Amino acid sequence: MSGRPGVMGYTDRISYRPGDDVTCYVSTPAAEWSARLVRLLALSIPSADVRRRVVPVPGVAPITRPGVVQETVAGSSVRVDGFPAAGPAGVTVAVAVMPTRPSADAQTVLAHWDGTAGWTLGLAADGRARLVVGTAAGVAELVAGAPLVSGCWYELRASIGGAAGAAVELEVAACGTFEADRVVLPPIAPARAETRLAGDPLSPRGVPLRWGRRAESAGGEGDERYDGRVENPVVVGRAGARGDRAALAGHPDVVAAWDLAAGIGPGGVSRTGHVVDAGPYGRHGTAVHHPQRAVTASGWTGDVTDFRFAPGQYAAIHFHRDDMTDCGWRDPAVLRLPSGLPSGVYALELTDGDGAADTVPVFVRPAGDARPARVLLVLPTNSYLAYGNDHVGVDSPRTQVWTQQVPALDDFELFRDAHRELGYSLYESHADGTGVCYSSWRRPLLTLRERAYDHNAPVWQFTGDMQLVDWLDRSGIEFDVATDRDLHREGAGLLSGYAVVLTGTHPEYPTLEMLDAYEEYAATGGRLCYLGGNGMYWVTGVDPQDEQVIEVRRWGGTQAWLAGPGEYHLGFTGQQGGIWRFRGRAPQKTFGVGFVAAGNPGSGAPYRRVAHDPATDWVFDGVRARDFGADGVSGGAAGLEIDSAAPPLGTAAEAIVLATSVGHDDDMLEARENFNMTSRVLGGGRNPRVHADLVLVPRAGGGAVFSAGSIAFAGALRELDGDVSRLLGNVVRRFASGAPVLDEPG
């Protein structure tokens, strides 16, 4: 869609049905904005002369609203509402902390502070422990000890008297195990600082107790956001209370004693956003922006690496100043979808009075009582989330080496780059260097726009999947759409009503429920077309309390970052993370192929037919050349990221390799998990393992799986009379007809 950047929006959830209300949140500096509902049939790909095709939805009046510049307050925290102010006896606070950027600036670990009254406990700008107390005579401040070391555990203890002249004490001591600390700390005695209150301490008014930040201002100024971990804070309503945190939790004057191990069970952290107060008053906390759970605490010994079996060693929470899982924008606008709306890919086209424009996708399933089409396209929305607002192509020199070019950024890309408050992709790291493991739909996902630059290819993810939508529409094949979220929730029951199920071009982030659904569908007579590459790869979890948020923990695969020691299990589910291959769920078992190599857009190649069995000749009806698919939107049809058959990983003996790619160069590199030792021969120019396989897998009961084994496959569907288009048309129509997958001899 034409128009300069400036207006942007997001919707309240991932998928809808006809008749549902779509709630949209929009930000623009213009005086007014409007939105109209359109159906998307094709997105523009200027480099390939693919034109945008959009159809307005009749009978739906556009929305018009006053413009507002929405504020997004990033940074995770915990809020404890209704927390009582310190009484005449004063207060003692104890907490274990592991800062990860201790000298970045002043940071608050715990605060009951309204701007002038109350107290804050955290770090000074130089990384030393700091306590601030608001009094009638002004602010009292203490610092103690040397600057804390990043990645190491310390116990902070603060005691604040209840009247003028009373003692204020701050103590800091190392407390981590050898395994829990990043480095070995020299043995040193606890450091202490002490002063006297010059005036009576002031009680904060109407503010919550906060963890991870001092305040929550609109622009974030003065918030003192914290990067690091917190373990089991305790607050006692008496100054000078002694003992370790466990003893303080049982003190007769305890105000709150939070237990971050509470709620850890076989299914993971039962309520990720809930922080349990194990004290007598139940002053539970609410997590904001998904601070990371299932992380090691100060007592981690390394003997147990699954948090479910040693909850006390994982009684910690990790805050990042740039966490963001809900923009929290205001002034929502609501558009009701027509009750008879066909299933498909729709969008809200946003425009404002300053000439800016944005397109916000809206995925519409068929109505619950509608007759399903013969074909279902499952859009890989978990992958859209994983790549959402990806800045890797701008930030990482590695991508420039990979693509052998400097990114060309237009106004839209500069706009996206400037709005880092909208959160990161799962391919990036936080400011403290830890990997981003959560991604949310509750934000503008500017990578779901046809103008989005991506270092991987001219088309990627949503723009790549729209090539399938375009092809299905132009081929006259009736189809419905659903999303990963729908499949995760409904399982094989969602698929069972369809003769053929198609995946998107890069369904990289399935949940266990999704994998089970695909396998059950194919094993019970369903016919499945896997039309991508590097699919069914990363173990992915969905927040049980918020289906708009997903989680990954990266290890063992071709990865952008590595989860920390002892942190390979997903907090949402308790499942071991990494890639499905190491969970006994290699994609070859269901789909016949699995990830083998990745390259830049220039490393694509054609397929070469290798199967000449009369039983499968129907697949190649109208395919004129032995080598086909040399020309596509992203280079050859076998490109970007490719998959191959591998019997040792589960490709069935019945699987038939129809075609295999030929002619890859050394820019197509083998995936790291496929070799055990460093090799000089990784590229396709000399490595025979680097190729994509086009595979047909007959299954019992008339079921079957067809796998393209390439992200770039859809990019070769532009011409309906082209060889790749003919081949896919043969497969989809044969599958949908119910005819046998293999022709009888003679």
Side-chain angles (χ1 to χ4, degrees):
M1 182 179 181
S2 61
R4 62 178 182 77
V7 63
M8 56 182 169
Y10 65 97
T11 58
D12 60 326
R13 62 182 196 264
I14 294 173
S15 72
Y16 300 88
R17 287 191 188 271
D20 285 351
D21 286 340
V22 178
T23 302
C24 184
Y25 301 86
V26 175
S27 178
T28 176
E32 187 177 80
W33 63 269
S34 64
R36 68 167 186 161
L37 183 67
V38 299
R39 184 167 187 174
L40 298 181
L41 297 173
L43 296 181
S44 172
I45 308 174
S47 61
D49 196 30
V50 176
R51 296 186 178 182
R52 192 173 199 264
R53 292 193 299 122
V54 171
V55 179
V57 177
V60 180
I63 297 172
T64 301
R65 293 285 189 277
V68 60
V69 176
Q70 306 274 11
E71 295 285 350
T72 300
V73 181
S76 57
S77 61
V78 168
R79 293 172 53 99
V80 182
D81 292 317
F83 196 77
V91 66
T92 298
V93 182
V95 60
V97 301
M98 189 199 81
T100 51
R101 299 180 72 215
S103 298
D105 49 24
Q107 300 175 51
T108 292
V109 173
L110 297 173
H112 200 203
W113 180 257
D114 69 5
T116 57
W119 53 269
T120 74
L121 177 63
L123 308 179
D126 62 1
R128 292 185 292 167
R130 181 186 68 157
L131 172 66
V132 175
V133 182
T135 77
V139 173
E141 181 173 342
L142 280 179
V143 293
L148 305 190
V149 176
S150 174
C152 293
W153 282 96
Y154 300 84
E155 181 147 325
L156 307 184
R157 181 186 301 268
S159 175
I160 305 167
V168 178
E169 301 173 358
L170 175 62
E171 181 176 284
V172 55
C175 68
T177 63
F178 183 92
E179 293 81 5
D181 282 347
R182 182 180 60 85
V183 299
V184 178
L185 295 176
I188 56 173
R192 297 182 71 254
E194 183 176 348
T195 189
R196 297 281 170 176
L197 291 173
D200 290 333
L202 300 177
S203 296
R205 297 183 178 180
V207 295
L209 179 82
R210 289 187 172 91
W211 308 15
R213 66 192 314 148
R214 184 173 70 172
E216 195 168 301
S217 61
E221 294 82 5
D223 285 0
E224 295 189 354
R225 288 174 286 179
Y226 172 58
D227 287 303
R229 297 185 181 180
V230 170
E231 177 183 354
N232 289 357
V234 179
V235 178
V236 174
R238 181 170 297 279
R242 300 301 176 188
D244 60 19
R245 279 180 295 127
L248 289 174
H251 193 283
D253 296 315
V254 68
V255 176
W258 293 279
D259 182 3
L260 287 160
I264 292 177
V269 180
S270 60
R271 296 170 62 189
T272 303
H274 183 65
V275 176
V276 174
D277 173 19
Y281 303 109
R283 293 183 170 116
H284 308 305
T286 300
V288 178
H289 289 321
H290 281 78
Q292 190 174 352
R293 306 292 295 269
V295 294
T296 55
S298 65
W300 184 63
T301 65
D303 292 333
V304 178
T305 56
D306 184 340
F307 69 94
R308 297 173 296 173
F309 297 98
Q313 295 186 34
Y314 289 83
I317 191 167
H318 193 136
F319 298 103
H320 303 95
R321 69 182 60 207
D322 47 14
D323 281 329
M324 207 290 293
T325 56
D326 188 347
C327 278
W329 287 359
R330 56 191 176 87
D331 298 330
V334 177
L335 181 145
R336 176 158 294 176
L337 300 175
S339 59
L341 192 68
S343 176
V345 179
Y346 294 83
L348 294 176
E349 284 195 336
L350 306 179
T351 55
D352 69 18
D354 292 341
D358 191 19
T359 303
V360 182
V362 176
F363 306 122
V364 180
R365 300 177 57 187
D369 58 354
R371 178 189 62 83
R374 299 287 291 167
V375 175
L376 175 69
L377 172 62
V378 180
L379 295 166
T381 48
N382 283 353
S383 293
Y384 302 165
L385 284 172
Y387 285 88
N389 294 339
D390 177 7
H391 305 97
V392 175
V394 176
D395 291 349
S396 175
R398 176 179 61 86
T399 62
Q400 296 186 32
V401 174
W402 178 259
T403 61
Q404 301 179 36
Q405 63 183 14
V406 175
L409 305 179
D410 61 14
D411 287 347
F412 178 80
E413 292 304 324
L414 294 173
F415 175 79
R416 178 161 66 94
D417 185 59
H419 284 281
R420 301 290 178 114
E421 77 280 4
L422 301 180
Y424 294 90
S425 73
L426 299 184
Y427 286 80
E428 298 169 88
S429 295
H430 293 289
D432 67 359
T434 56
V436 178
C437 69
Y438 303 128
S439 182
S440 170
W441 195 261
R442 291 193 172 91
R443 55 185 177 136
L445 292 170
L446 300 180
T447 40
L448 267 73
R449 310 296 190 259
E450 60 197 300
R451 293 178 294 173
Y453 162 80
D454 191 281
H455 62 279
N456 293 286
V459 289
W460 190 255
Q461 292 295 335
F462 178 58
T463 52
D465 294 332
M466 283 301 299
Q467 295 172 122
L468 296 175
V469 172
D470 179 26
W471 179 82
L472 287 164
D473 178 71
R474 289 187 295 117
S475 299
I477 298 173
E478 181 187 359
F479 68 100
D480 292 336
V481 302
T483 68
D484 281 351
R485 170 194 170 278
D486 304 317
L487 185 57
H488 169 80
R489 174 187 283 182
E490 299 178 28
L494 172 66
L495 310 180
S496 61
Y498 292 92
V500 189
V501 172
L502 315 179
T503 76
T505 58
H506 194 20
E508 187 178 4
Y509 290 87
T511 65
L512 178 62
E513 292 81 358
M514 292 167 55
L515 290 183
D516 284 346
Y518 282 129
E519 172 58 27
E520 181 179 341
Y521 173 74
T524 55
R527 296 181 171 187
L528 179 61
C529 293
Y530 164 50
L531 299 182
N534 185 211
M536 316 304 162
Y537 189 72
W538 288 108
V539 178
T540 305
V542 175
D543 187 342
Q545 275 70 56
D546 186 352
E547 289 186 334
Q548 316 304 313
V549 182
I550 63 170
E551 177 187 17
V552 299
R553 301 285 177 108
R554 298 194 189 277
W555 71 274
T558 300
Q559 59 207 25
W561 49 266
L562 176 65
E567 297 175 3
Y568 289 179
H569 287 73
L570 276 64
F572 287 168
T573 64
Q575 298 168 355
Q576 179 180 284
I579 59 176
W580 281 111
R581 169 175 170 175
F582 297 134
R583 292 274 308 278
R585 301 296 299 250
Q588 286 89 343
K589 288 185 173 182
T590 294
F591 301 93
V593 298
F595 183 44
V596 68
N600 61 41
S603 58
Y607 291 96
R608 174 170 294 171
R609 180 178 178 179
V610 296
H612 295 279
D613 187 337
T616 59
D617 281 349
W618 62 267
V619 176
F620 295 95
D621 284 350
V623 177
R624 296 175 286 266
R626 182 186 68 159
D627 293 355
F628 58 93
D631 181 29
V633 167
S634 302
L640 301 179
E641 294 180 359
I642 59 175
D643 298 1
S644 66
L649 294 177
T651 302
E654 297 78 22
I656 301 166
V657 177
L658 302 168
T660 192
S661 61
V662 293
H664 293 291
D665 59 25
D666 281 337
D667 284 334
M668 181 63 77
L669 298 174
E670 187 175 9
R672 65 184 292 270
E673 64 270 19
N674 290 342
F675 54 90
N676 295 319
M677 296 183 65
T678 302
S679 171
R680 295 181 61 191
V681 185
L682 300 178
R686 294 174 292 166
N687 186 344
R689 292 197 297 267
V690 174
H691 64 271
D693 286 329
L694 207 69
V695 172
L696 178 67
V697 187
R699 298 292 298 265
V705 177
F706 169 82
S707 290
S710 165
I711 291 177
F713 181 85
L717 296 172
R718 288 175 300 170
E719 304 298 331
L720 291 182
D721 62 350
D723 285 340
V724 174
S725 182
R726 288 176 183 271
L727 184 148
L728 182 59
N730 293 339
V731 171
V732 172
R733 291 185 173 92
R734 178 72 164 242
F735 276 18
S737 73
V741 171
L742 300 178
D743 284 340
E744 295 291 334

